Amino acid sequence: MPNDPNKVKVGAGILYIGPVGVAEPNDLTTPWATVDPDWLAFGYTEEGHTFNSEPNFEAIEVAEELEPIRYEQTAVANSLELAAAQMTVTNLGYAFNGGTVTTISGTVVSFEPPALGDVTRLAIGWESNDGEERWVFRKCIQTGNVAIARRKAPNKATIPMVYRLEKPGAGIAPYRSVLETA
């Protein structure tokens, strides 16, 4: 592969949230809301997001050799980390895997987390600002600690989240990327 400075990726993008099973983009141009109106823009984050894929390999050993004769993959853990920069009941719902929002009066609402075990899984999408990359994480559950720090300005309160990817179904990969190769 020749050196191509255009394939060195920098910059931000936009996160989207949808229900598990939402229609996925098959190109780099169709707007997410056109692909499926259930895709909603997530909003601002503290520092974007980080996708992690952590494979686990175990050594196969035999008595006749000092080194493993090979390694076999036994698991993989995929996750997506981010911190929402907007303090909204919607983002609290994402952080707590659901919950109940009640209108108190006008624009004043309250949020209560879901009952233990009553969680909602989500699909998460991302599109780069240059329009050359899209990712869909098909079935995610927020498993991270929610620690909202309140400090004086210029620090802001954020809602940290760590989504773990689950297998969405038989024969379906937990995530998919669509990339520009030209």
Side-chain angles (χ1 to χ4, degrees):
M1 173 185 297
N3 295 342
D4 184 352
N6 294 320
K7 295 303 174 195
V8 177
K9 296 299 180 181
V10 298
I14 299 173
L15 284 168
Y16 295 89
I17 300 285
V20 172
V22 66
E24 301 175 10
N26 286 315
D27 60 35
L28 294 168
T29 57
T30 305
W32 289 77
T34 302
V35 171
D36 193 309
D38 285 336
W39 282 114
L40 302 174
F42 181 83
Y44 291 126
T45 63
E46 175 68 6
E47 295 181 346
H49 73 280
T50 300
F51 169 60
N52 301 296
S53 185
E54 302 171 32
N56 186 35
F57 287 83
E58 297 289 331
I60 306 300
E61 298 181 0
V62 295
E64 292 77 17
E65 298 291 342
L66 295 176
E67 288 109 6
I69 60 169
R70 73 173 177 272
Y71 286 85
E72 291 290 335
Q73 188 169 2
T74 58
V76 64
N78 297 305
S79 64
L80 196 68
E81 299 178 31
L82 60 97
Q86 294 175 238
M87 190 61 60
T88 66
V89 293
T90 300
N91 284 344
L92 288 173
Y94 296 153
F96 289 99
N97 294 310
T100 302
V101 176
T102 304
T103 300
I104 297 172
S105 67
T107 60
V108 178
V109 296
S110 69
F111 171 81
E112 293 185 19
L116 185 63
D118 185 20
V119 298
T120 302
R121 286 157 170 83
L122 299 170
I124 300 175
W126 181 78
E127 180 172 348
S128 63
N129 282 344
D130 66 8
E132 293 184 357
E133 189 176 356
R134 284 181 166 178
W135 290 73
V136 174
F137 306 95
R138 293 176 165 139
K139 186 177 180 185
C140 307
I141 184 165
Q142 203 293 110
T143 62
N145 293 334
V146 178
I148 302 170
R150 303 293 183 150
R151 299 185 179 102
K152 68 179 184 176
N155 295 308
K156 61 188 161 299
T158 61
I159 307 169
M161 299 177 219
V162 178
Y163 284 95
R164 298 285 182 182
L165 279 61
E166 298 177 333
K167 183 120 178 117
I172 302 172
Y175 62 89
R176 174 178 181 237
S177 59
V178 179
L179 307 167
E180 174 62 53
T181 61

